[in-house]
Amino acid sequence: MSERLLPTDPASIGGHRLLARLGAGGMGVVYLGRTEAGALAAVKVIQAEYADEPDFRARFRREVEAARRVTSPWAVPVTGADPEAAAPWLATAFVPGPSLEEAVTRHGPLPARSVRVLARMLAAALREVHAAGLVHRDVKPANVLLAVDGPRLIDFGIARAADETAITSTDLVVGTPGFLSPEQAEARGSAVGPPSDIFSLGCLLAYAASGRPPFGTGTADALLYRTVHDEPDLAGIEAEEDADDGGLPELLRRCLAKDPADRPTAGRFGTELLVEDAIPEGGQIDWLPEDVVRAIADRSSEMLALPDIEPTVAEASGDGERTSPSRRRLLVLASGAAVLLAGGGVAAWAALRDEDDPGSPAPRDHRWAVGVQADLSGAQRAVGEAQERGARLAIEQYNSRKDKPFELVLKTADDGGSAGRAPGAAKKLIQDTDVLAVLGPTNDETADAVLGAYDEALLPVLCISAGGLILTSQQYRSFLHCRPSDAAVALPISIYVLRQKGKLRSGLLQDRTARTYAQESASINAILMRKLGRPVYPRVIPADTEDVRPVVADMLRAGIGSFIYAGDARGGARVARALAAAGFDGPRLTPQAVIDPEFLKEAGKAAEGWLLTASFVDPTAVPAAAAFTAAFRKRYGAEPGHYAAEAYDTVNLVVQETVKATKGGRPPKRQALLGLLRNGHYKGITKDFSFKPTDGTFAGWGVFLYQVEGGRFRFLGAAPSQV
């Protein structure tokens, strides 16, 4: 579906008059454009600020080159591009139909014959991709658009030459979990060739036929594991009555073979496997269900009916007569009138005028806001409440300043730590035009559920406690990560072990109870120690394993000299007790998920001596945070909890950049503030805050050590960053 252009959008790009937005996210926007000849195109435009990055521009240049090398009626052709422009762009022929993912979601699985025809045409597209020496590497339902005359394969953003190894190195998983091959799941690098696309095509076809991915849903970690080890779920996909070759299920099983050598080539689809579904020369292909065809027709009518949009607002003519306002201006005026009719009155009209005149001074009594989206009522409410309190203290201290250009308030949105409730909480803050920036959400699941919405609104969102790599799986424009990722926080564990004398191997236990968190924490340590020549004895235990003694005993028999646990607090307590009972007193290390009162309670004396890494400080043990700690105790009558000081710092970062750019008592717009924050630097009481301008990830170190002593977590200071 399309959305109307924003006032900040350009009127034209590369000879295309822009009509609407087709989508936004990551590092750019896709527009619906119309050439002077009247042809429609999907115009992908990269944000200019990211185009300054040489690596990103090189990646986009490769995408353009890859797409141009593929000539197939079932792959969307490139109609124009300028990867060297200030804002690089790529135009492809516009396909008005829905994606396969959208069609299946809205209308259900496709009939078997439709899936077989889909298979033949997409295989033909992949045959051309592979003939051009490329591997698509992201064949999935969202990258297939449906048209009445056949599907179109799109998005060559991560396509690579089959013999290219520069970006297909070991340990880098590229693709979409659930629709990638075992060789991609295991990051086999140069082993990811054309057969990988055939496996992904099998996943896509199984989804089209059943309405579900063949390896289920869930975390990336679970999907990667099932892809490598489990058989695909093809239940409910039945062979056609007239099929004497096993039909669709047999075709899918051949595509989904674990061994790449056992999969058919793209060329075999047309010459051997699907001959009976030959595509007629010319004419119409009757291959889709009626409801999907109707959806394509409706979408086509909607798109083709869009008018041109004038590039500017018309000005008064020299004789005093005024020309007609542009359609975009009429939309703005109409929305303003609607506000007035709804009872907005003079205040609403004034607000509309303020938007039209960003240079006008703000009312003296106007109070802008910083938002906090957090878990204030769920399982992680202690962390959410600590962040809310730290942020509120920073706001109150700012408001006590005599030189402040305006007052600030704190506005909270409780999502209960639930991904289901998170979008509603985000919407509340996004729609409040007084909110300049948002702190939160508390955990990975809620953050992943709302980062796209914040990105659309260009509302800066500063994550303080969420840390999974899923947050960087897409490149958001509005995202700022105010802490190192979970993988980076776990990294000093290997550094600590590698500094120890002797070459005894380390035991590394990944507890699947902690799902993706455990996988990321374990993988980074396994990779580092393997690269530096230190032997590792890795073990993985199923989720919710109660009796860990057998696996601990096995690891001790292997002669380990140190023990690394990747999991949660409860599982860590079980392991601590098992190690203590076995008399193991070597280094025992774990990342920050175990820094929880439950670990101390459940492990008891067995917790003593454990070393832990974290992305937060104990402000009561940091001299630079003494004033904050005293103020916090006075304000709340309690010690600051985890992330309270980090939230305090983050608000002060927002205040610093906002005040710096305030003019006439009016702070910068959200988008302008976002740029200031990404390029800013703030020396806080917890760490130095700076970000990579390209993706908003944390650019500093900010990892700390704790050790259990006397039944409590004692803060030791900064963790080592070099071996």
Side-chain angles (χ1 to χ4, degrees), residues 574-586:
R574 287 195 290 265
V575 170
R577 292 195 303 268
L579 287 171
F584 181 81
D585 60 358

Side-chain angles (χ1 to χ4, degrees), residues 16 116 122-123 196 199 258 261 349 388-389 437 555 561 614 621 660:
H16 299 82
R116 291 173 69 90
L122 290 180
S196 177
F199 190 96
K258 302 298 184 188
W349 179 244
E388 186 269 338
R389 287 182 167 186
M555 297 174 80
K660 187 189 302 182

Side-chain angles (χ1 to χ4, degrees), residues 596-618:
D596 187 291
E598 184 177 21
F599 176 69
L600 300 178
K601 177 182 177 182
E602 296 291 330
K605 291 183 179 180
E608 291 294 311
W610 275 67
L611 195 70
L612 310 97
T613 58
S615 64
F616 50 80
V617 304
D618 176 359

Side-chain angles (χ1 to χ4, degrees), residues 386-401:
Q387 293 183 32
E388 186 269 338
R389 287 182 167 186
R392 190 174 300 281
L393 183 60
I395 294 289
E396 291 173 353
Q397 290 183 353
Y398 163 78
N399 285 335
S400 68
R401 289 165 42 176

